[in-house]
Amino acid sequence: MLNEKMLALGSKRSIIREIFEYCKTRAAEIGADKVFDFSIGNPSVEPPKEIANAIVDLVNNASPVLLHGYTSAQGDFGVRKAIADEINAKFGAGVDANNIYMTCGAAASLTISLRALLNPGEECIVFAPFFTEYRVFIENAQGRVVVSTPMEKTFQIDVCDFESKITENTKAVIMNSPNNPSGVVYSEDTIKAVCAVLEKKQKEYGHPIFLIADEPYRELVFGDVTVPYLMNYYDNTIVCYSYSKALSLPGERIGYIAVNPKAQDAQSVYLAVCGAGRSLGYVCAPSLFQQVIKNTIGAKVDVNIYKENRDILYNALTEYGYECVQPDGAFYLFVKALESDAYKFFEKAKSKEILVVPCDDFGVKGYVRIAYCVDKQRIINALPAFKALAEEYK
Ligand code: PLP
């Protein structure tokens, strides 16, 4: 007898993957230029030049053990120190190398953190709309998912709803800003309000409630928008960072966990992270890419390319009559379906070769996600189809 839960997970791909696979098949049938694939969050902007230069330099000059050998389970000390120094320079958070644990990207950061924090049956609150894999990660850590519904239209956190969802079983809360799928950046006021509620509830229940900051999109913000650093607002914070989107390296699987040194019993939290990484069999994050990260601290992708895509798409779609919140970051547009059933709308869009993701599984019904991390020309080519789709509903 196989593990039924795993069999079910493996048999049914996430909806994003399903649509992404369909797009590949459809592109082979009718030509890639005729399929408007907006399904997956695969960065379209090139990694910074520094990355390729660092790889070449390392491959030519570093020892094979540094490049390809195991590192310490928590990651190479020099790499962790470089990251800690960067966090301190940017946010003054007072972390050191021993608060940093290198991971294979945000997914690993989250699965490890959840495994480290949750005992069976404990609850983890997620703010809708949320990245669908949270459910998989929380349930795999034997936790229970509790969904907090957002403010209508703005998709900021509804702090009253959030407070009402906290129970004595609440152990963790995941906050993702800039948000996948809405692109919303939570305001500093919202964050202060959330943290005040958490402080109050920790006191009331007499145990810590951890805030997990899921931050793969931290660097992808437009204009002068800033993303508050949660450690500076709430002591029991664990940051789950990833270079997948920030440096356009999703296939390299590299990121880290930063445990706030001010967290209650921070040393034990860090040790539980190490234990969870061990129990999940991660061994260590990729050695070559740990060194690449160390040697390219401060490198950035050109966020203006995403901003230009956002502007073209947002301006055109709102002109055609679609409703959506203007995203301040990430590379997604969260659009209200033109009928109540997002799946039916998805099918209609699909008949025009527009592939978007219906978002019921993200915890908000009646919306679709458009991943605009694509070549600008694909967006321009898709606009007549979006317009025709809107006209069908008039
Ligand atoms: N968290 C969010 C909100 C995401 O959107 C993603 C990927 O799309 C992840 C985590 C996982 O990222 P990574 O590729 O770094 O594992």
Side-chain angles (χ1 to χ4, degrees):
M1 188 72 164
L2 298 173
N3 180 308
E4 291 296 323
K5 273 192 189 150
M6 296 303 132
L7 182 59
L9 274 179
S11 310
K12 190 175 173 293
R13 276 193 288 241
S14 83
I15 184 145
I16 301 170
R17 292 270 157 192
E18 284 291 345
I19 300 169
F20 179 56
E21 293 304 325
Y22 168 83
C23 288
K24 285 198 276 189
T25 315
R26 189 70 179 141
E29 283 166 13
I30 65 168
D33 59 321
K34 298 195 180 58
V35 180
F36 307 125
D37 176 7
F38 297 104
S39 62
I40 201 164
N42 221 354
S44 53
V45 172
E46 276 191 27
K49 290 271 175 295
E50 292 94 316
I51 299 292
N53 293 341
I55 294 170
V56 171
D57 181 48
L58 282 160
V59 168
N60 286 332
N61 299 309
S63 76
V65 172
L66 192 73
L67 294 180
H68 308 299
Y70 294 123
T71 67
S72 305
Q74 64 271 42
D76 177 272
F77 181 82
V79 175
R80 291 184 289 126
K81 176 156 186 344
I83 291 171
D85 289 348
E86 187 196 22
I87 294 174
N88 293 336
K90 277 186 174 166
F91 311 113
V95 295
D96 70 33
N98 293 325
N99 305 122
I100 307 292
Y101 181 95
M102 299 305 296
T103 66
C104 302
S109 302
L110 288 163
T111 50
I112 291 171
S113 300
L114 289 163
R115 188 61 164 259
L117 296 177
L118 298 180
N119 292 296
E122 287 182 330
E123 291 163 6
C124 178
I125 299 180
V126 297
F127 296 108
F130 59 88
F131 180 49
T132 51
E133 294 303 276
Y134 289 166
R135 195 173 282 288
V136 178
F137 300 161
I138 294 167
E139 288 174 355
N140 196 42
Q142 297 187 53
R144 286 195 45 234
V145 180
V146 175
V147 179
S148 174
T149 45
M151 307 287 280
E152 248 177 76
K153 295 208 159 77
T154 63
F155 294 108
Q156 289 282 331
I157 291 168
D158 180 338
V159 181
C160 290
D161 181 80
F162 169 59
E163 180 161 4
S164 75
K165 298 285 165 63
I166 301 178
T167 72
E168 62 179 354
N169 271 331
T170 306
K171 189 60 160 302
V173 176
I174 303 179
M175 190 186 280
N176 167 227
S177 174
N179 180 266
N180 173 9
S182 70
V184 164
V185 174
Y186 296 139
S187 70
E188 187 181 29
D189 284 349
T190 302
I191 284 165
K192 283 183 174 163
V194 165
C195 294
V197 167
L198 283 170
E199 295 288 3
K200 186 173 97 181
K201 290 290 177 179
Q202 289 192 135
K203 276 208 190 98
E204 186 180 330
Y205 293 125
H207 65 73
I209 301 174
F210 289 90
L211 184 56
I212 299 175
D214 179 25
E215 304 215 319
Y217 302 98
R218 161 168 285 282
E219 266 55 67
L220 308 186
V221 284
F222 311 132
D224 53 9
V225 172
T226 53
V227 184
Y229 199 63
L230 296 187
M231 275 193 196
N232 291 337
Y233 295 81
Y234 185 69
D235 287 351
N236 286 324
T237 294
I238 296 181
V239 175
C240 289
Y241 189 84
S242 164
Y243 296 94
S244 295
K245 321 282 176 170
L247 295 179
S248 297
L249 299 172
E252 305 302 348
R253 313 309 305 142
I254 188 80
Y256 63 81
I257 294 167
V259 175
N260 192 349
K262 295 194 281 297
Q264 186 176 321
D265 218 350
Q267 176 64 12
S268 298
V269 175
Y270 186 79
L271 290 175
V273 163
C274 294
R278 180 177 168 195
S279 81
L280 291 165
Y282 279 114
V283 183
C284 66
S287 306
L288 168 59
F289 268 83
Q290 290 192 44
Q291 296 304 321
V292 170
I293 293 304
K294 177 175 151 208
N295 293 356
T296 58
I297 294 277
K300 290 187 175 97
V301 296
D302 183 357
V303 173
N304 286 322
I305 299 174
Y306 292 131
K307 182 177 179 299
E308 201 186 347
N309 285 359
R310 179 203 64 175
D311 290 344
I312 295 170
L313 198 57
Y314 176 80
N315 292 338
L317 293 200
T318 48
E319 189 197 311
Y320 304 155
Y322 293 91
E323 262 181 57
C324 56
V325 60
Q326 184 175 27
D328 281 328
F331 36 52
Y332 306 107
L333 207 61
F334 197 53
V335 180
K336 191 163 188 194
L338 296 175
E339 57 186 301
S340 55
D341 185 331
Y343 288 94
K344 285 194 182 144
F345 177 71
F346 158 76
E347 288 297 341
K348 268 208 181 134
K350 187 172 159 197
S351 71
K352 299 203 168 337
E353 310 298 347
I354 301 174
L355 281 308
V356 294
V357 176
C359 285
D360 289 17
D361 289 353
F362 292 70
V364 176
K365 288 203 189 311
Y367 280 77
V368 295
R369 185 190 81 172
I370 303 178
Y372 58 80
C373 43
V374 297
D375 188 56
K376 180 170 82 177
Q377 200 54 46
R378 184 183 303 170
I379 296 176
I380 293 169
N381 293 347
L383 292 183
F386 275 114
K387 192 170 185 197
L389 180 63
E391 270 159 15
E392 276 189 17
Y393 284 93
K394 282 187 179 152

